[in-house]
Amino acid sequence: MTEARIPILMYHAVAADPNDATRDLSVSPQAFAEQMALIADRGLTPLTTADLAASWRSGRPLPALPVLITFDDGYEGVHRHALPALAEHGLSATLFVTTGWLRGAYDTGGGPDTMLDWRQVRELADAGVEIGGHSHSHPQLDQLGDSALRAELTRCRDIVAGELGAPPVSFAYPYGYSSRRVRTAVRENGFAQALAVGNALARRAQGPYALRRVTVRRGTGAEEFERLLDGRALARTFARDRALTKGYAVVRRTRRLHRRAVGAPV
């Protein structure tokens, strides 16, 4: 039997007029609404991240045409623009929040654009959106020492639990970066599954802590969006992203080696 390959869509901001910091990884409200309508018209069944992982763990059959709709960071437009489009078609989704970027008591002031507040996050949760963790301050987790890594994960988990009444069970790595050490720490902090990026379809064989996603951005037109859903021509679509990722991986590896050489925590 052919292994199921699932498109996990990665969104960030949904905004008519995003700032320069978030423009490339934003989508317009009109484009998002059209994309959700296309998902509904094609008869796809959106799952939350927790639903997908639970099905793969238990062996429970998946819907015939599953898809995941995920949002990173916690931009205000997820509530203002995305939620109505999701509700119109009865679609589920997962929002991964950077707790130190959301407006409210824990705000560090680091949010790149207008962010959600906790009332809006609770309304999203009440509407059926799964709320997952995305760290507290959005660092490159694999560049942190052990204590800082644990603090990022624990603070994020505890804040979400305190605001929503239950700890988050799904996690998304900031920037998509992880390592065996990071994945172990994520698991030890109670997260049952985690998403990377990778710009490829998700497969059970990737394991519950390294599921891949495909990026939806402002330049994603209707034809490209359909290719993402089908998993067609992904290597060509994301060739530039992969080249940049490989180059940056060398830089990041060099940094880690330097930190080890000078005795800094890694």
Side-chain angles (χ1 to χ4, degrees), residues 6 8 70 116 148-149 152 161 196 210 219-220 232 245:
I6 314 264
I8 303 181
T70 71
L116 294 162
L149 170 60
E152 282 286 336
T220 303
R232 292 185 287 114
T245 297

Side-chain angles (χ1 to χ4, degrees), residues 11 20 43 59 90 96-98 102 113 140 149 163-164 171 174 215 220 239 250 253-254 258:
Y11 289 94
D20 290 343
F96 296 100
V97 294
T98 302
L102 301 190
D113 206 334
Q140 297 176 27
L149 170 60
E163 291 289 338
L164 301 185
F171 189 83
T215 307
T220 303
V250 174
R253 188 159 52 246
T254 301
H258 173 72

Side-chain angles (χ1 to χ4, degrees), residues 11-18 23 25-37 71 76-86 88-89 216-218 220:
Y11 289 94
H12 288 78
V14 181
D17 187 25
R23 181 171 303 278
L25 284 177
S26 70
V27 298
S28 71
Q30 179 181 352
F32 184 80
E34 291 171 352
Q35 290 163 3
M36 296 306 100
F71 303 90
E76 193 268 346
V78 175
H79 183 277
R80 180 187 299 271
H81 302 299
L83 182 57
L86 293 168
E88 179 180 354
H89 301 288
V216 185
R217 61 189 103 205
R218 208 160 192 86
T220 303

